[in-house]
């Protein structure tokens, strides 16, 4: 694996740790501040909605200009917001802090996806490793938050800024390594945009987002909270590490679209198991759901970029950002339904969501990969 991809993947891990950290803070906000399900859903919404809406705007900017400097700056901002989330007792301050973190994440992903795709020279496996970095960050977030907040309380949250500093440094190193290969600064505009296929793909990613955000926000509480809850959240994120790498390798053999369709089908059965079981069986189904949700993760990015070869930044911003906003918006509805009924009943509708995503994916065909990537695909 090329050194630029390794550095970019490590930086990606540090950034996405803060996306996972918001969900990991939920049980502590409930325990220490006595927030309701609806209130903590609002915190999750603040972390995702603004980020998701703003992200395509950053993507459009990167379609016009190379802005690799955004990577280290946004990595630090994303971490600083989460680090401030536990300071004081103000709900408004908490919401603002995670929203600032979301803006940092929004600024990072479109440009990072563009730089990583260029550095990978079109390899699905290399992009899988880049995406794996983000998934590892998600997976380690509950452990980091538990280590800091469980021992020092929410007031110790400023210590959570440390990975952001490391992430900014890794981004700088990754950009320099990629620039030396003359990949980061090239603007790409060849090919014909297929907006209809991109729209179907985006709709399917919305379905994936609803399931993922819903499980991320509530799986720890559904599993019983405490150590069991932290374990369930860790499994949800860690299973993605395997799924992302497997997705790239499976795509090399079977093609991206068939692999993505199969992953959505697996997710239907896995989410049903999560809702209906408990104990060790619950963890097993959480792992399957994680695989189903993460196998298509890096494939979504490259498919979107290849459906819109003239607007790679926009495609990256939408597939990584805007489509996530619906998942964040649905989280408060799940929380309100859980307050009115039960958490299990509130999670039950999530079983149907990946089925709709699968239907959207059925007509899709494999897009032509840009010529500049064909020599590096694999």
């Amino acid at each position: 694996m090329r050194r630029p991809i390794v550095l970019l993947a490590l930086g990606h891990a540090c950034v996405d740790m803060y996306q996972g950290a918001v969900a990991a803070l939920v049980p502590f906000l409930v325990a220490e501040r006595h927030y309701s399900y609806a209130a903590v859903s609002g915190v999750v919404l603040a972390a995702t909605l603004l980020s998701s809406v703003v992200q395509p705007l950053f993507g459009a900017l990167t379609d016009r200009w190379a802005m690799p400097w955004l990577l280290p700056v946004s990595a630090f901002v994303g971490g600083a917001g989460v680090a401030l989330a536990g300071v004081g007792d103000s709900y408004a301050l908490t919401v603002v802090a995670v929203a600032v973190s979301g803006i940092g994440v929004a600024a990072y992903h479109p440009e990072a996806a563009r730089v990583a795709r260029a550095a990978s020279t079109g390899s699905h496996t290399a992009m899988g490793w880049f995406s794996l970095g983000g998934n590892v960050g998600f997976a380690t977030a509950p452990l980091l938050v538990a280590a800091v907040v469980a021992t020092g309380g929410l007031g110790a949250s400023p210590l959570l800024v440390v990975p952001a500093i490391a992430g900014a440094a890794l981004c700088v190193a990754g950009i320099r390594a990629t620039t030396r290969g003359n990949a980061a600064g090239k603007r790409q505009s060849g090919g014909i945009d297929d907006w209809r296929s991109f729209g179907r793909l985006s709709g399917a990613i919305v379905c994936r987002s609803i399931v993922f955000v819903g499980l991320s926000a509530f799986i720890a509480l559904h599993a019983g909270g405490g150590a069991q809850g932290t374990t369930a959240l860790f499994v949800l994120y860690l299973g993605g590490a395997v799924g992302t790498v497997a997705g790239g390798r499976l795509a090399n053999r079977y093609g991206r679209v068939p692999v993505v369709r199969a992953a959505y089908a697996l997710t239907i059965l896995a989410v049903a198991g999560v809702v209906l079981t408990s104990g060790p069986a619950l963890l097993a189904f959480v792992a399957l759901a994680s695989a189903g949700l993460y196998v298509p993760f890096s494939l979504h990015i490259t498919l979107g970029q290849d459906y819109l070869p003239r607007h790679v930044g926009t495609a990256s911003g939408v597939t990584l950002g805007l489509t996530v906003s619906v998942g964040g918006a649905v989280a408060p509805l799940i929380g309100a339904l859980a307050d009115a009924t039960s958490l299990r009943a509130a999670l039950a509708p999530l079983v149907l969501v990946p089925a709709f995503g699968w239907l959207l994916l059925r007509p899709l065909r494999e897009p032509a990969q840009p010529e500049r990537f064909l020599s590096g695909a694999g």
Side-chain angles (χ1 to χ4, degrees), residues 9-82:
L10 292 173
H12 195 189
C14 293
V15 173
D16 277 11
M17 186 177 294
Y18 295 105
Q19 287 187 310
V22 175
L25 283 171
V26 165
F28 297 99
L29 292 172
V30 172
E32 191 169 324
R33 296 185 181 173
H34 308 292
Y35 288 168
S36 67
Y37 289 144
V40 293
S41 298
V43 174
V44 175
L45 177 62
T48 58
L49 182 59
L50 184 60
S51 172
S52 301
V53 171
V54 171
Q55 201 162 143
L57 300 180
F58 283 105
L61 290 174
T62 64
D63 280 332
R64 299 190 63 181
W65 303 286
M67 296 188 292
W69 56 267
L70 269 178
L71 272 63
V73 172
S74 58
F76 180 77
V77 172
V82 169

Side-chain angles (χ1 to χ4, degrees), residues 107-346:
Y108 170 85
H109 278 100
E111 181 69 357
R114 184 189 69 81
V115 173
R117 187 76 191 276
S120 73
T121 63
S123 167
H124 301 321
T125 303
M127 282 299 290
W129 283 108
F130 170 72
S131 298
L132 171 63
N135 298 339
V136 170
F138 263 104
T140 55
L143 304 181
L144 175 68
V145 170
V148 173
V149 180
T151 56
L154 289 171
S157 67
L159 293 174
L160 296 175
V161 78
V162 173
I165 298 173
L170 286 164
C171 286
V172 170
I175 291 166
R176 288 177 177 173
T178 304
T179 302
R180 282 197 292 270
N182 296 321
K186 294 181 180 179
R187 311 310 306 155
Q188 310 291 354
S189 59
I192 300 174
D193 290 337
D194 182 354
W195 287 98
R196 177 173 294 183
S197 295
F198 181 76
R200 284 186 168 275
L201 175 68
S202 298
I205 300 172
V206 166
C207 295
R208 185 259 184 201
S209 171
I210 292 172
V211 176
F212 182 75
V213 174
L215 292 182
S216 295
F218 297 108
I219 194 63
L221 296 171
H222 178 59
Q228 290 179 326
T230 298
T231 300
L233 190 59
F234 178 69
V235 169
L236 177 66
Y237 292 162
L238 185 63
V242 178
T244 303
V245 175
R249 295 187 181 278
L250 289 170
N252 289 334
R253 182 170 183 178
Y254 300 106
R256 289 173 290 180
V257 173
V259 170
V260 171
R261 287 198 199 104
Y264 277 66
L266 172 63
T267 303
I268 300 169
L269 299 175
V271 175
V274 169
V275 173
L276 298 173
T277 62
S278 60
L282 170 63
L283 292 179
F285 279 111
V286 169
L288 284 177
S290 180
L293 291 166
Y294 273 111
V295 159
F297 188 78
S298 67
L299 306 181
H300 287 153
I301 301 170
T302 60
L303 281 170
Q305 291 173 334
D306 290 348
Y307 282 134
L308 299 184
R310 293 180 177 271
H311 297 86
V312 170
T314 299
S316 301
V318 172
T319 55
L320 288 168
L322 184 62
T323 51
V324 177
S325 65
V326 174
V330 169
L333 300 180
I334 297 174
L337 182 59
D339 286 331
T341 57
S342 69
L343 190 52
R344 186 182 300 274

